[in-house]
């Protein structure tokens, strides 16, 4: 049996909020939102800072509020 179709593409993620170049005074609560797409279904997005998990979201639009950023 031969199965053919388009090759699987890597997922894409882009930060939609806050906008690039934004600045804030610390400490602050920062709303973060991303757009995540894949050939299949994206079921979770994890947010990291310096290798540490700071939040996650399981529904689109994928967002969380980073407290005391």
């Amino acid at each position: 049996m031969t199965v053919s179709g388009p090759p699987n593409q890597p997922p894409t993620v882009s930060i939609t909020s806050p906008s690039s170049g934004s600045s804030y005074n610390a400490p602050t609560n920062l709303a973060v939102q991303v757009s995540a797409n894949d050939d299949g279904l994206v079921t979770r997005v994890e947010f990291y800072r310096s290798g540490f998990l700071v939040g996650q979201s399981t529904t689109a639009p994928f967002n969380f509020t980073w407290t005391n950023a």
Side-chain angles (χ1 to χ4, degrees):
M1 173 165 82
T2 302
V3 177
S4 62
N8 187 26
Q9 299 297 312
T12 60
V13 177
S14 61
I15 298 171
T16 57
S17 180
S19 59
S20 179
S22 298
S23 63
Y24 302 89
N25 293 320
T28 189
N29 294 339
L30 185 61
V32 180
Q33 183 170 317
V34 302
S35 173
N37 297 294
D38 192 11
D39 292 346
L41 177 65
V42 176
T43 59
R44 181 176 62 205
V45 172
E46 297 176 337
F47 300 86
Y48 288 84
R49 180 190 179 272
S50 299
F52 294 97
L53 180 67
V54 294
Q56 64 181 352
S57 178
T58 57
T59 56
F62 299 102
N63 58 52
F64 89 106
T65 299
W66 181 7
T67 57
N68 292 320

